[in-house]
Amino acid sequence: MENWVKIEQKLGFEKIKEQLAGRCSTNYAKERVCSEKVSHNPRTIEKRLSLTDEMRVICMFESSFPQSGFIDSIEFLKPLEVEYSSITLENMNRLYTFVENLKGVINFFRGCKEGAYPNLKAMAEPITFFPEISRRIESIVDRFGEVRDNASMELFNIRKSLREKEGSISRKIQAILRKAQEEGLADEEASVSVRDGRLLIPVSASNKRKLPGFVYDESATGKTVFIEPMEVVELNNQVRELMFAQQREILRILREFSDFLRPYLPELIDGARFIGEIDFIRAKAQVAMQMEAGKPIISEDETLKIVKGRHPILEATLKKEKKQIVPLTLTLTPDKHILVISGPNAGGKSVCLKTVGMLKYMFQWGLLVPASEVSEFRIFDDIFIDIGDEQSIENDLSTYSSHLTNMKEVLQRATDSSLVLIDEFGTGTEPTAGGAIALAILENIELKGVFGVITTHYTNLKFYAEKVNGAINGAMLFDVANIQPLYKLEVGLPGNSFAFELARKIGLPDHIIRVAEENAGSGYVDMEKQLRKISRNRRALDEKLARIKNTDRTLENIAEKYEKELTDIQAVKKQLLAEAKREAQAIIEQANKKVEATIKEIKEAQAEKERTKAARRELEEFNSTLEQENLSESDRKIEAKMNKLLERKKKKEERQQREARKGGAVADPVQAIAAQVQSPKELKVGDKVKIKGGDLIGEVMQVGGNWVNVAVGSIISKVQKANVEHISNKEFSNAVKSLPKTMSSHSESLSERKLNFKPNIDIRGERLMEALEIVSRFIDDALMVGIGEVKILHGKGNGILKEEIRKYLRTVPGVVSCKDEDIQFGGSGITVVKLD
């Protein structure tokens, strides 16, 4: 395995590390940035990515998470493990900052709702916080970081005596200074000076003998001396003794605190490491936010699938120039594991190669990658890179020799768990020999199953990638009309160098270019033209295939819709038949009563027996006809609709092909039936209702199975259907007039908001934080007015905006689900939000 430091330099990963170190607050976290290495263990990588992703969400949405106080503590806690060692006052203040920050972080995770940030919570779980430590520090040190007077009784007495002595000295020395000024020994503007805590009087050097005392200091010129008067020498000595006593008492207090702290040191050191790790993870999360990076999927089938990947260093550079980066999308599988990229110079081949290497390295290092979160990364054991000019005077290596040295290592050590990145494969020597050697190496690594991304101009390598199963061509697209590269990779086609076109754009004489084309031969020129033709035809074919796939998906969705509606219709049929039978049975029972009454009348009238039997037969025939008439009409309607749908379902394949060709829409036969079976007595949205057992009235905002959401004033309540009764609009208006003004105005305000509310919003073009704020207000309004479903139009783009909005929506109470819109109405560019 190549030296990781060298690999990081080739990929430019050291610049990512510099960004991470700049985001770290502690030396512990900076050391972690330097010491962290790529991992080959799926569990380790998954844990690193999950921790970073959870912290990214916290940094974006959790304002209660501590933002400061991340300081190094291990460096002054470890020495305290030695008996009789003592903490300094400065470190005690740092310790207080550390324990307060530790308390804030632990309390944050303990206060999170169930299921939130599981990996970070697991990190915080074993960490212990001791409130007594903070309380003891607060009793010793004030908010300015100085030892309190009442930290001990002894210190209180010392400082009291010290203030008294200093006051006495100040009064006495002021009196001496005034007297010296009156006698002309000191200047009128002179004031008491302080040297090493002693109060001194400045006098001219010529008068220093006239003022009794000790010469303590003199000015730089020697014209002024500073004298400590004899009368305050003793007092100054007493003050100095008190200051020594104060310092001794402070040291005793710090030693006492250190002895108190020593039993807690193991837990505190663990807490300091935890804070350092949190600082490290937070730095990774902040860099991920800056890059708009996401958490990819760890591939389970050894696939490398990069969707809309962006090189972070190049993207940052382009942003400064107000330019947009072109995302990279490619897929490598065990079946197609080598991508051979060709195309014009400065067309983006090397950028594609470096992007693959950078994103793969970031992934296994534990960083979120600037790519769509549907990207899948497999784990490689080794990475081999041959990029740039590596000629060495010291080792007597030319450029091509260094390339061959790298290829030797690839041939000896690369396996099917390795990733090989080779830029300008085969160049640096005579083209025929260089191309032949490159082809032999490519054949070897293809047979081994090595994963690789290779850039080249050699035609023999392009042809090889076309004919073998394990390799595939990729072309950097070029705008022939404007003679400029598009920096977009198209997988499946060999690229064109466009050498003659570029030469014309640069301005080489036409006759020179014509001679060059003749020298290259008609075969070469024809081959280049055929490559361009293949590219155009392939692009047109892909567009047609995309349209066909889109049509297939639409037809599948329609088929699923009708299958569901068929099931619903069958249920409706059963319900209608049951209701019809019940109504018919009631009619029959009523008719039977009439029959019995008729018979009774006949008997009472003593009619003939045969006439009585005939009357009974007629009534029985009437009953049978009545039952048949009541049942048959409803049954025939439903059976006709069902037979029609069953016939369509049976011929689904033929219908799909016909509709795909014609582009026609399939009629919806369900609307008429739905209108027929809707019960007029059922409560619906907008109905006015009254709460049973009280005088509260409201408007139905949402209807569930056996419940409704009712807006009473500005409050929406969930009420059982059995507890409300329908009232007319007139009754509602009369009741509203009788309400207090405040409640009436709230009701009108809510109704107005509902009328003005639109269940869809367009946030395309907004920056992430502004978009999240707009969505937050939109969802709040939707919940307030009782809307059950809203739509957010965010566009497709790189998918970052959609992913962040959905992460936010998952944290919002009242949001039931989020999904893509139907493909025929916008697909992944629109998020459909179901609300409770």
Side-chain angles (χ1 to χ4, degrees):
M1 182 171 57
E2 191 171 350
N3 183 277
W4 289 112
V5 174
K6 191 175 181 181
I7 290 175
E8 290 180 359
Q9 290 174 348
K10 289 182 178 180
L11 293 176
F13 190 74
E14 75 277 0
K15 295 181 179 179
I16 305 294
K17 281 189 168 182
E18 290 174 3
Q19 293 182 26
L20 287 169
R23 298 278 185 172
C24 295
S25 299
T26 63
N27 290 327
Y28 178 97
K30 293 176 182 177
E31 291 172 1
R32 290 282 285 108
V33 171
C34 295
S35 62
E36 188 82 325
K37 297 290 186 293
V38 295
S39 173
H40 307 104
N41 186 304
R43 291 185 178 179
T44 302
I45 294 172
E46 174 62 29
K47 184 177 180 181
R48 290 179 180 179
L49 294 175
S50 297
L51 288 170
T52 306
D53 194 44
E54 290 175 8
M55 182 58 72
R56 180 175 67 102
V57 175
I58 289 174
C59 292
M60 291 176 66
F61 302 120
E62 303 285 0
S63 59
S64 59
F65 186 79
Q67 300 298 318
S68 60
F70 292 90
I71 63 172
D72 291 294
S73 303
I74 298 177
E75 59 190 22
F76 64 79
L77 289 174
K78 288 289 287 183
L80 295 179
E81 292 178 331
V82 179
E83 195 174 0
Y84 304 118
S85 58
S86 178
I87 194 170
T88 64
L89 181 59
E90 179 186 1
N91 287 337
M92 178 181 281
N93 286 304
R94 295 175 64 194
L95 176 63
Y96 181 76
T97 302
F98 156 67
V99 294
E100 285 298 298
N101 183 52
L102 179 63
K103 178 177 71 173
V105 173
I106 293 175
N107 288 341
F108 171 82
F109 288 118
R110 289 176 180 173
C112 289
K113 66 180 181 181
E114 189 69 24
Y117 319 122
N119 293 281
L120 289 170
K121 274 187 178 178
M123 273 184 64
E125 188 66 31
I127 305 302
T128 306
F129 169 72
F130 301 101
E132 179 60 22
I133 297 176
S134 291
R135 192 200 64 77
R136 182 69 69 93
I137 295 175
E138 289 172 353
S139 69
I140 295 174
V141 180
D142 61 21
R143 63 191 180 94
F144 301 107
E146 300 295 335
V147 178
R148 295 178 181 274
D149 291 352
N150 59 355
S152 72
M153 185 55 66
E154 179 67 20
L155 183 61
F156 179 82
N157 293 330
I158 290 173
R159 287 185 171 173
K160 181 180 178 182
S161 299
L162 190 58
R163 284 191 292 270
E164 292 174 353
K165 295 292 184 184
E166 288 175 342
S168 177
I169 292 173
S170 179
R171 290 190 297 272
K172 181 160 289 193
I173 202 164
Q174 287 292 345
I176 295 172
L177 176 60
R178 285 194 298 271
K179 184 178 179 182
Q181 289 172 334
E182 291 172 358
E183 294 176 355
L185 302 179
D187 292 338
E188 291 294 333
E189 298 177 356
S191 60
V192 176
S193 298
V194 179
R195 295 285 193 278
D196 299 329
R198 291 180 174 270
L199 298 177
L200 309 173
I201 296 177
V203 298
S204 60
S206 59
N207 295 325
K208 63 181 179 181
R209 304 289 184 187
K210 298 178 181 179
L211 181 65
F214 295 98
V215 176
Y216 196 85
D217 199 0
E218 68 178 7
S219 64
T221 60
K223 294 181 178 181
T224 303
V225 296
F226 299 90
I227 297 176
E228 182 180 19
M230 190 66 66
E231 299 174 40
V232 298
V233 169
E234 182 59 29
L235 289 175
N236 270 333
N237 289 337
Q238 292 176 12
V239 168
R240 200 162 185 80
E241 288 176 3
L242 288 172
M243 294 179 68
F244 288 141
Q246 174 185 246
Q247 191 60 34
R248 287 194 299 271
E249 180 60 17
I250 290 174
L251 290 174
R252 186 196 67 77
I253 293 170
L254 293 176
R255 282 196 300 271
E256 185 180 82
F257 174 79
S258 300
D259 294 337
F260 154 78
L261 190 66
R262 199 162 282 114
Y264 300 105
L265 286 176
E267 289 81 5
L268 286 173
I269 292 173
D270 288 342
R273 292 195 182 98
F274 167 74
I275 288 297
E277 286 293 329
I278 291 294
D279 187 30
F280 173 58
I281 296 169
R282 191 177 65 140
K284 293 200 295 181
Q286 290 173 343
V287 169
M289 290 168 60
Q290 178 184 338
M291 295 178 180
E292 296 184 1
K295 180 187 175 187
I297 301 168
I298 298 179
S299 176
E300 296 181 355
D301 58 0
E302 298 185 341
T303 295
L304 174 62
K305 178 184 176 184
I306 299 176
V307 180
K308 297 179 180 178
R310 311 177 316 276
H311 195 291
I313 305 300
L314 175 61
E315 184 176 30
T317 302
L318 291 176
K319 278 185 178 179
K320 293 178 182 177
E321 301 173 0
K322 300 188 182 304
K323 296 180 181 179
Q324 291 289 329
I325 193 170
V326 179
L328 170 68
T329 297
L330 62 83
T331 301
L332 296 179
T333 67
D335 294 331
K336 294 287 185 181
H337 50 90
I338 294 179
L339 175 63
V340 179
I341 303 176
S342 51
N345 285 316
K349 301 189 300 296
S350 299
V351 171
C352 289
L353 182 141
K354 291 181 180 180
T355 300
V356 173
M358 173 67 86
L359 298 189
K360 174 267 171 194
Y361 200 87
M362 292 175 67
F363 163 73
Q364 291 190 220
W365 200 85
L367 283 172
L368 303 183
V369 299
S372 171
E373 291 191 348
V374 300
S375 300
E376 296 184 34
F377 284 77
R378 66 157 293 177
I379 298 171
F380 293 102
D381 293 337
D382 296 309
I383 180 171
F384 299 90
I385 302 177
D386 183 49
I387 298 175
D389 187 355
E390 297 184 20
Q391 62 179 330
S392 171
I393 297 175
E394 293 82 359
N395 297 325
D396 194 25
L397 289 177
S398 66
T399 300
Y400 188 66
S401 298
S402 67
H403 289 328
L404 291 179
T405 302
N406 292 334
M407 293 305 99
K408 176 183 176 183
E409 185 178 12
V410 169
L411 294 172
Q412 291 176 343
R413 305 177 61 178
T415 68
D416 58 0
S417 294
S418 302
L419 176 64
V420 174
L421 305 174
I422 305 174
D423 192 24
E424 300 293 351
F425 196 23
T427 57
T429 188
E430 193 273 322
T432 303
I437 293 174
L439 179 59
I441 295 172
L442 181 59
E443 290 175 343
N444 182 276
I445 62 176
E446 190 273 327
L447 291 173
K448 286 183 178 181
V450 177
F451 277 65
V453 178
I454 295 170
T455 68
T456 187
H457 288 285
Y458 287 160
T459 304
N460 61 334
L461 301 185
K462 302 178 194 179
F463 284 144
Y464 178 79
E466 283 292 327
K467 73 178 183 178
V468 298
N469 293 328
I472 187 170
N473 273 305
M476 300 308 301
L477 299 184
F478 191 83
D479 185 350
V480 180
N482 297 311
I483 315 298
Q484 62 183 13
L486 299 176
Y487 306 108
K488 184 178 181 181
L489 173 67
E490 182 172 3
V491 177
L493 291 177
N496 190 323
S497 65
F498 296 99
F500 298 126
E501 288 81 355
L502 288 172
R504 287 190 178 93
K505 181 183 179 183
I506 290 174
L508 286 183
D510 289 341
H511 71 279
I512 296 294
I513 297 174
R514 284 196 299 271
V515 171
E517 289 177 339
E518 292 172 1
N519 292 338
S522 60
Y524 173 81
V525 176
D526 290 343
M527 182 187 66
E528 293 290 325
K529 290 180 179 178
Q530 290 300 320
L531 282 174
R532 290 198 290 272
K533 184 177 180 181
I534 291 172
S535 177
R536 287 194 297 270
N537 293 339
R538 177 62 179 272
R539 191 174 298 109
L541 179 61
D542 287 343
E543 290 175 355
K544 290 181 180 179
L545 288 174
R547 287 197 296 271
I548 292 171
K549 289 180 181 179
N550 185 47
T551 303
D552 288 344
R553 285 193 294 268
T554 302
L555 292 175
E556 288 174 4
N557 292 335
I558 293 173
E560 290 176 3
K561 174 184 175 183
Y562 283 132
E563 286 178 7
K564 181 178 182 301
E565 290 176 347
L566 179 61
T567 304
D568 294 340
I569 289 173
Q570 289 173 342
V572 171
K573 175 194 172 185
K574 290 180 181 179
Q575 180 182 353
L576 288 175
L577 289 176
E579 292 177 358
K581 287 178 181 179
R582 285 195 297 270
E583 292 175 1
Q585 188 65 34
I587 295 171
I588 290 171
E589 290 176 358
Q590 185 178 2
N592 284 335
K593 291 179 181 179
K594 185 175 181 180
V595 169
E596 295 299 331
T598 303
I599 293 172
K600 184 178 179 181
E601 288 180 7
I602 292 172
K603 285 182 178 180
E604 290 176 353
Q606 297 181 350
E608 295 180 2
K609 187 174 182 180
E610 290 299 324
R611 184 179 177 184
T612 302
K613 289 182 178 179
R616 181 180 290 276
R617 279 195 303 273
E618 290 176 1
L619 287 172
E620 286 176 352
E621 290 174 359
F622 166 75
N623 287 339
S624 177
T625 303
L626 185 62
E627 181 178 6
Q628 184 64 28
E629 287 176 354
N630 276 278
L631 293 178
S632 60
E633 183 178 358
S634 172
D635 189 49
R636 282 196 303 273
K637 287 182 180 179
I638 294 175
E639 287 295 334
K641 295 293 183 182
M642 288 186 62
N643 290 334
K644 189 175 181 180
L645 288 176
L646 287 171
E647 182 180 353
R648 288 182 178 180
K649 186 172 185 291
K650 185 177 180 180
K651 298 178 180 180
K652 181 176 66 175
E653 292 183 0
E654 292 81 359
R655 186 183 70 251
Q656 287 177 343
Q657 293 175 0
R658 184 169 61 257
E659 294 299 330
R661 289 194 300 270
K662 294 181 179 180
V666 181
D668 188 351
V670 181
Q671 300 300 325
I673 298 176
Q676 294 174 19
V677 301
Q678 183 179 5
S679 174
K681 295 181 180 180
E682 286 290 328
L683 288 174
K684 60 183 183 297
V685 175
D687 284 351
K688 306 302 188 293
V689 293
K690 178 179 180 182
I691 309 296
K692 292 181 179 179
D695 297 326
L696 293 177
I697 60 169
E699 180 180 346
V700 176
M701 309 302 292
Q702 188 177 2
V703 180
N706 58 352
W707 56 267
V708 292
N709 275 349
V710 179
V712 180
S714 60
I715 300 173
I716 298 177
S717 302
K718 194 172 184 179
V719 185
Q720 294 290 328
K721 285 184 178 179
N723 294 333
V724 299
E725 58 181 340
H726 186 276
I727 62 174
S728 66
N729 288 336
K730 185 175 182 181
E731 290 174 316
F732 180 79
S733 299
N734 293 335
V736 168
K737 291 177 182 178
S738 64
L739 291 175
K741 282 188 176 181
T742 54
M743 182 173 290
S744 176
S745 63
H746 283 314
S747 178
E748 291 173 359
S749 175
L750 183 60
S751 298
E752 184 179 352
R753 289 179 69 180
K754 183 181 178 184
L755 288 172
N756 294 330
F757 182 79
K758 296 181 180 179
N760 49 66
I761 190 171
D762 186 352
I763 57 170
R764 291 174 297 176
E766 299 289 346
R767 296 185 66 84
L768 178 58
M769 298 312 295
E770 287 81 358
L772 288 172
E773 184 177 351
I774 294 170
V775 170
S776 175
R777 293 197 299 268
F778 177 62
I779 295 298
D780 288 344
D781 289 344
L783 291 170
M784 176 61 71
V785 300
I787 298 298
E789 179 181 287
V790 295
K791 297 180 181 180
I792 302 172
L793 174 58
H794 42 63
K796 296 180 181 179
N798 294 333
I800 299 296
L801 184 59
K802 179 184 81 171
E803 291 157 8
E804 296 305 329
I805 286 172
R806 292 195 178 180
K807 282 187 179 182
Y808 163 72
L809 290 173
R810 294 187 196 107
T811 68
V812 177
V815 174
V816 177
S817 66
C818 306
K819 66 177 183 179
D820 288 346
E821 176 61 283
D822 190 274
I823 188 68
Q824 58 186 327
F825 299 122
S828 60
I830 299 175
T831 292
V832 180
V833 185
K834 294 285 186 181
L835 302 175
D836 189 5

